[in-house]
Amino acid sequence: MLAHLIEISLKNRMLVLVGPPGVGKTFEMLQEGHRLKRQGVDVVVGVVETHGRAETAALVDGLEAVPRRAVAYHGVTLEEMDTDAVLRRKPTVALVDELAHTNAPGGRFPKRYQDVEELLRAGVNVITTLNVQHLESLYDVVERFTGVKVKERVPDYLLGQAHQIVNVDVSAEDLVDRLRAGKVYPPDRAERALAHFFTDANLSRLRELALEEIAARIDRRREQQGDTAASGSDRVMVCLSSRGPNHHRLLRRG
């Protein structure tokens, strides 16, 4: 449970849920929203991308959601997070999905991570999600082993500013099962994904990248705080989720 870890009394706090795509980061974020609400914390949904996942959409119920901003773009109406409306509402915590998302033209900022920075500057704590392949410094590495050029990227400094980072993880085998069961993409899209980006080898490497990135950041922050007595591996805590034997999370306390 993460709710007891986030220090709501302190402003400008950001918790980032990191991992490969499809492992349940959005689901976890919404669960945290409900836990915080039960504790009496003023929490709202800034934006959640359910991608048609019924289980994820059901978790939005019971949470206050700030209405999105409709944007007409090339004959299609898109819905983006209304950052100004969230700022006017000024909750204690805002849930903001898909940190690397590119906003439709006409908004306050071109990138969602810039919206998050604005919320943090205004004193709103943020819980957000990030697919590990969208981290700027991993662009070349991801392209080499997947053959895919990741267009949407988040600068590393933003992850470095996070008060807490959580690695949301399932095994490559479980993730493939989730894909085939339609829990990540519709069946036709899932089959294409399994044949290209979501191969066993790619998924395993993405999981490794997430763990390596978080471990490196733990060590860097410890060094900055003058704690060099122990190696990073001696300070890792692994929590086993009750949802299943293969669902685990690496927690990092800032």
Side-chain angles (χ1 to χ4, degrees):
M1 183 180 295
L2 308 179
H4 69 287
L5 294 178
I6 188 167
E7 299 178 36
I8 296 304
S9 62
L10 300 175
K11 295 299 183 181
N12 304 325
R13 297 296 193 182
M14 178 172 61
L15 185 157
V16 184
L17 299 161
V18 180
V23 295
K25 297 182 295 298
T26 302
F27 192 90
E28 195 71 43
M29 179 184 71
L30 290 169
Q31 284 193 320
E32 288 310 307
H34 282 284
R35 290 176 185 134
L36 291 169
K37 181 181 177 181
R38 288 195 296 270
Q39 292 181 359
V41 175
D42 182 20
V43 55
V44 304
V45 174
V47 62
V48 164
E49 309 291 358
T50 66
H51 297 291
R53 302 166 191 163
E55 292 180 352
T56 302
L59 271 180
V60 179
D61 292 340
L63 293 173
E64 179 185 347
V66 176
R68 297 195 196 188
R69 180 175 55 88
V71 181
Y73 182 66
H74 289 178
V76 178
T77 300
L78 305 174
E79 292 187 343
E80 299 286 4
M81 181 171 71
D82 192 334
T83 303
D84 290 329
V86 177
L87 289 170
R88 288 193 297 270
R89 172 63 177 75
K90 199 165 186 180
T92 303
V93 177
L95 309 181
V96 182
D97 207 6
E98 298 191 359
L99 189 61
H101 173 78
T102 299
N103 295 326
R108 181 190 277 251
F109 300 105
K111 293 287 190 176
R112 187 169 289 167
Y113 74 79
Q114 295 172 306
D115 292 307
V116 165
E117 289 180 302
E118 185 72 0
L119 294 177
L120 293 170
R121 283 192 290 268
V124 177
N125 297 285
V126 173
I127 302 178
T128 187
T129 66
L130 175 66
N131 287 337
V132 66
Q133 72 268 22
H134 292 294
L135 195 60
E136 180 73 45
S137 63
L138 300 179
Y139 173 79
D140 292 336
V141 176
V142 172
E143 183 182 357
R144 280 198 300 272
F145 73 80
T146 66
V148 175
K149 293 180 179 291
V150 178
K151 296 181 180 179
E152 294 183 317
R153 302 195 289 277
V154 171
D156 286 56
Y157 76 79
L158 194 64
L159 194 58
Q161 291 175 356
H163 177 55
Q164 297 175 61
I165 305 172
V166 175
N167 182 50
V168 182
D169 189 23
V170 299
S171 70
E173 293 81 4
D174 285 350
L175 185 48
V176 168
D177 288 343
R178 284 171 52 81
L179 278 157
R180 288 183 172 143
K183 295 183 178 181
V184 179
Y185 298 128
D188 58 337
R189 188 180 174 191
E191 288 303 318
R192 291 196 302 271
L194 285 166
H196 297 92
F197 192 84
F198 284 82
T199 65
D200 284 344
N202 287 351
L203 292 175
S204 295
R205 187 68 184 107
L206 287 170
R207 293 178 66 217
E208 291 171 7
L209 284 177
L211 291 168
E212 290 168 359
E213 185 65 31
I214 293 173
R217 289 184 181 278
I218 292 172
D219 287 343
R220 282 199 295 270
R221 186 160 297 187
R222 182 182 297 115
E223 290 172 1
Q224 291 171 357
Q225 295 171 347
D227 180 7
T228 59
S231 65
S233 60
D234 293 331
R235 298 295 186 89
V236 171
M237 176 176 69
V238 177
C239 295
L240 299 180
S241 169
S242 61
R243 289 200 295 276
N246 295 318
H247 188 104
H248 53 281
R249 297 177 295 174
L250 175 66
L251 304 187
R252 170 217 176 265
R253 178 65 188 262

